[in-house]
Amino acid sequence: MRRKLTIAVVGQNECTAETAEIAALIGKTIAQNKGVVICGGLGGVMEAAARGAKEAGGVTVGILPSMNKSDANQFIDLVIPTGLGDARNILVARAADAVIALPGKYGTLSEIAYALMAGIPVVSVSSWVLGADVHQVENPLEAVELAMELAAKRFA
């Protein structure tokens, strides 16, 4: 049996309602494609992506900055407390087979950078524009399709 692809969804802890809906659609689509959503486990983009995945019957993983499991949002199945603060971003990025980045600040940028340093593909939806190494798309469904395709190629 082939293992499920893990797709990290990264973005701001506090986001607009529009960004939250995009994140939820991304999470839902990942789950519908039998992928696992990995995120930082907190609010904003992370919570919305996890909510979307759960609505589609998917599995979610939250890698927390704190040691307190109760800090995870209600849509996280597997809570991984780290006590590492922002340094946990490296774990979020490197636990993924591909990363989908939504709008965010420097934490999001660090997750993108950690993924790229490890050769993990990154797809950006209205997030940081960093040149040819980051695949820029506008459509969230296209982002999931591309991330899943790139992730699968890594293991072909």
Side-chain angles (χ1 to χ4, degrees):
M1 182 174 111
R2 183 166 151 72
R3 71 174 180 80
K4 294 183 177 195
L5 294 175
T6 55
I7 308 296
V9 181
V10 301
Q12 206 161 350
N13 191 35
E14 294 180 13
C15 65
T16 66
E18 179 183 357
T19 299
E21 286 310 305
I22 291 168
L25 178 59
I26 287 170
K28 177 181 180 180
T29 308
I30 291 168
Q32 289 171 334
N33 284 281
K34 302 193 182 340
V36 174
V37 170
I38 295 179
C39 66
L42 301 177
V45 165
M46 299 168 277
E47 183 171 5
R51 174 176 49 86
K54 292 312 299 171
E55 287 172 356
V59 176
T60 60
V61 177
I63 302 176
L64 302 180
S66 71
M67 285 298 297
N68 189 350
K69 284 188 173 191
S70 66
D71 289 345
N73 71 63
Q74 65 182 324
F75 304 105
I76 298 298
D77 294 315
L78 177 59
V79 178
I80 301 173
T82 68
L84 296 173
D86 290 336
R88 73 72 156 86
N89 291 356
I90 195 169
L91 300 175
V92 172
R94 298 225 173 143
D97 297 319
V99 173
I100 297 176
L102 291 158
K105 296 184 180 176
Y106 298 122
T108 303
L109 179 60
S110 73
E111 289 164 320
I112 293 168
Y114 288 131
L116 293 173
M117 286 187 287
I120 297 166
V122 177
V123 179
S124 173
V125 181
S126 303
S127 186
W128 292 86
V129 177
L130 298 170
D133 289 339
V134 177
H135 304 269
Q136 301 290 327
V137 299
E138 296 294 323
N139 183 306
L141 299 177
E142 181 184 349
V144 174
E145 181 180 343
L146 180 57
M148 299 287 282
E149 176 185 316
L150 292 169
K153 281 183 182 178
R154 293 182 69 222
F155 301 103

